[in-house]
Amino acid sequence: MTPPQTKEFCVSIVGGGVCGLTCAIALAREGVPVDIFESASKFSEIGAGLGLGPNAIRVLRALGIYDNVLARSTDKGTNMNSYRFISGTGGHEVLYDNPLAPEDRGIGVMRYDFLNALVDHFDMGRAHFNKRCTGVVQSSTGSRLTMYFSDGSTHETDLVIGADGIRSSVRSAITGQASDANLAFSNTIAYRTLIPWDEVKHKGLKTDLTLGMTCFAGKGKHVIVYPIQGGQIINTIGFVTNMVDELPVGNGHMPPGEKWVCDAPAEELRGNFREFGSDIQKLFSCVRNTSRWSIHHVYPPLRSYVRGKIALIGDSAHAMRTHLGAGAGQGLEDCYVLAKLLGHPSADVNNLEEILQEYDEIRRPRAQRVWERTVMTGEIYEGRGPSGFTPEGFTKDLTGNWLYVWHHDLDADIQAAIHRLQNDGIF
Ligand SMILES: Cc1cc2nc3c(=O)[nH]c(=O)nc-3n(C[C@H](O)[C@H](O)[C@H](O)COP(=O)(O)OP(=O)(O)OC[C@H]3O[C@@H](n4cnc5c(N)ncnc54)[C@H](O)[C@@H]3O)c2cc1C
């Protein structure tokens, strides 16, 4: 049940993906009236897996959502119980086995199961569909904001949160530039597919794919696999990087008009991984169809995630490469911090800008650091790591690689921000 809405200001969220919905739930829990404006006709997610690390799980637990996520995904507990890196070519030698303490284990879930678990906790009366936001401006007559939508309608509100994903339109209201001014192609394409375990288990793979995350690493390409839905489905992503331009950060651009996401025949995936070993050949022989994603990220990084009473969360602020499985987790951290600050007893309509500045102060350095690590991690997976493509090199480069992402005290961040606001006489 949604707690009483005690705050006198209201918040409008643009975008009802995982971050928009989580943020709305978190704000409602803090007594903040909140509406979601979603461009699609309903809340929806694609049929693909999503890995959530311990930091994301802590947020879900704090919001009281975690058990429902497990129930929806038919897993009884964590299913990312190991992180193994295996040579993609040759005999699939182990390059690095990341030992996971119980508190380091994560979950792999079907994206739509996760989204539906969130929807269960949201008051649908506050969801507005077919509302594509085209702009947000400060009202000339007062301190409120006006949101504009593609259907010609407008909405007045006290604070706007842009959760509208990597191609965010709200980002322009922060940067003053076109949305794609801070977008870059990473030079990597990803083939996503779901494979029923029933079809794989008879193939006699050398590697057990049911234990957790497995990365088959190769030069300029790699494959990530993990079980979801109680191990019935193997979520599979094959990554191929074009290193012609030698752009480790990936500030390339796709040819104009080319689609970011499209269907791709299984043959294309198989062709790209022809030199990989027997496990990948057997696994990919079960693939019927894939989708091909051109992986983009927010680059150059934003100088701020906020402007006035507008804030960005999730991919609109810091879309990153996928290699740490951390993008959504960073977005969930944004939601938790923002809701705790806006829900503080001293937060009111007069101090919203200062609160958003604190949100930016806390979240931007951390999310950007994770963003940078995703770049380096991809380099390691694909044979360009600093210590080389050997078991020794992988062990050196990957030991402790996830600790910064997984073990961070968000509550300490929030307390420090509240102290600063109190010391400045704002709270
Ligand atoms: C191949 C791949 C694998 C990944 N794997 C992982 C992983 O394992 N773990 C992980 O943590 N992260 C992963 N990520 C990243 C993760 O998917 C994103 O970080 C996360 O989905 C971002 O959520 P979001 O809510 O910010 O944006 P989105 O999920 O993109 O949601 C944005 C929402 O806003 C709506 N919208 C868009 N524009 C407008 C508008 N103008 N007006 C109104 N509504 C609008 C959209 O319809 C959508 O509902 C992966 C990404 C990719 C590409």
Side-chain angles (χ1 to χ4, degrees):
M1 212 181 66
T2 312
Q5 312 289 276
T6 49
K7 288 290 184 193
E8 286 177 356
F9 60 88
C10 57
V11 172
S12 298
I13 298 179
V14 180
V18 292
C19 294
L21 266 165
T22 304
C23 196
I25 294 164
L27 285 167
R29 295 265 197 277
E30 298 293 332
V32 179
V34 55
D35 291 272
I36 294 181
F37 295 85
E38 164 60 47
S39 59
S41 58
K42 57 182 177 83
F43 293 128
S44 66
E45 255 290 2
I46 57 166
L50 180 71
L52 297 168
N55 58 319
I57 290 176
R58 277 196 299 279
V59 170
L60 297 175
R61 276 192 204 281
L63 296 178
I65 297 170
Y66 182 61
D67 288 343
N68 197 27
V69 172
L70 287 183
R72 282 272 186 183
S73 63
T74 67
D75 275 294
K76 294 193 172 52
T78 60
N79 57 7
M80 295 278 219
N81 296 326
S82 73
Y83 261 53
R84 279 173 316 154
F85 298 85
I86 290 175
S87 164
T89 53
H92 301 308
E93 298 77 20
V94 174
L95 291 164
Y96 177 57
D97 205 343
N98 189 11
L100 292 189
E103 66 273 17
D104 289 342
R105 293 175 184 168
I107 52 171
V109 293
M110 190 74 95
R111 281 171 181 261
Y112 52 68
D113 287 337
F114 181 39
L115 198 87
N116 287 335
L118 297 175
V119 171
D120 290 343
H121 293 261
F122 182 66
D123 172 3
M124 289 297 280
R126 305 211 69 149
H128 311 274
F129 296 109
N130 299 306
K131 289 288 175 191
R132 174 167 292 280
C133 182
T134 52
V136 183
V137 293
Q138 183 84 45
S139 304
S140 53
T141 49
S143 63
R144 303 198 89 199
L145 299 164
T146 306
M147 303 164 73
Y148 292 86
F149 299 97
S150 59
D151 61 2
S153 62
T154 59
H155 177 77
E156 286 227 340
T157 188
D158 296 307
L159 189 143
V160 170
I161 297 174
D164 49 347
I166 186 166
R167 300 176 105 164
S168 167
S169 66
V170 180
R171 192 160 58 227
S172 298
I174 306 276
T175 62
Q177 293 185 289
S179 170
D180 62 4
N182 293 85
L183 275 184
F185 175 43
S186 67
N187 290 334
T188 297
I189 56 169
Y191 293 90
R192 301 173 102 170
T193 187
L194 299 171
I195 308 176
W197 174 239
D198 273 350
E199 293 186 20
V200 182
K201 67 183 180 199
H202 308 295
K203 297 271 175 184
L205 269 66
K206 179 179 172 189
T207 313
D208 186 346
L209 304 181
T210 62
L211 303 175
M213 197 283 286
T214 307
C215 171
F216 291 90
K219 298 281 171 69
K221 47 189 85 167
H222 69 281
V223 180
I224 298 284
V225 250
Y226 55 83
I228 52 177
Q229 287 194 326
Q232 294 169 57
I233 301 285
I234 303 295
N235 184 68
T236 307
I237 317 180
F239 293 88
V240 181
T241 301
N242 175 5
M243 288 309 293
V244 172
D245 297 332
E246 292 294 334
L247 294 169
V249 171
N251 53 1
H253 292 282
M254 287 178 59
E258 198 162 300
K259 279 190 169 174
W260 284 27
V261 182
C262 59
D263 291 337
E267 272 318 313
E268 186 177 317
L269 168 70
R270 287 192 270 268
N272 268 309
F273 288 88
R274 207 169 280 132
E275 74 276 27
F276 270 44
S278 60
D279 277 2
I280 291 299
Q281 304 310 325
K282 288 173 184 170
L283 182 68
F284 284 1
S285 72
C286 304
V287 173
R288 298 214 181 89
N289 45 48
T290 75
S291 56
R292 184 177 64 218
W293 292 61
S294 300
I295 305 294
H296 284 68
H297 50 192
V298 169
Y299 182 84
L302 305 188
R303 293 212 186 99
S304 177
Y305 292 173
V306 305
R307 186 173 199 168
K309 293 183 205 168
I310 309 171
L312 299 177
I313 61 171
D315 274 14
S316 64
H318 45 64
M320 57 188 73
R321 292 193 193 191
T322 62
H323 307 310
L324 287 169
Q330 284 306 299
L332 298 192
E333 289 191 6
D334 297 341
C335 301
Y336 183 71
V337 169
L338 199 48
K340 286 288 176 197
L341 294 180
L342 289 171
H344 188 275
S346 300
D348 64 33
V349 74
N350 299 309
N351 54 26
L352 297 176
E353 290 195 24
E354 289 83 355
I355 292 171
L356 292 195
Q357 286 297 336
E358 277 298 337
Y359 159 76
D360 179 61
E361 190 86 8
I362 297 173
R363 289 299 308 146
R364 192 161 42 85
R366 171 158 163 77
Q368 287 308 137
R369 204 167 148 194
V370 175
W371 187 103
E372 282 158 22
R373 266 172 191 260
T374 64
V375 176
M376 176 51 76
T377 303
E379 296 291 284
I380 297 166
Y381 292 176
E382 297 195 347
R384 298 180 297 270
S387 309
F389 195 76
T390 60
E392 296 73 30
F394 262 59
T395 304
K396 189 160 178 223
D397 291 343
L398 289 179
T399 299
N401 194 47
W402 284 265
L403 296 183
Y404 178 74
V405 183
W406 290 347
H407 299 286
H408 182 82
D409 190 346
L410 280 185
D411 288 312
D413 282 351
I414 293 162
Q415 284 315 313
I418 290 170
H419 280 132
R420 280 193 295 273
L421 287 163
Q422 287 168 337
N423 287 340
D424 293 346
I426 291 157
F427 270 8

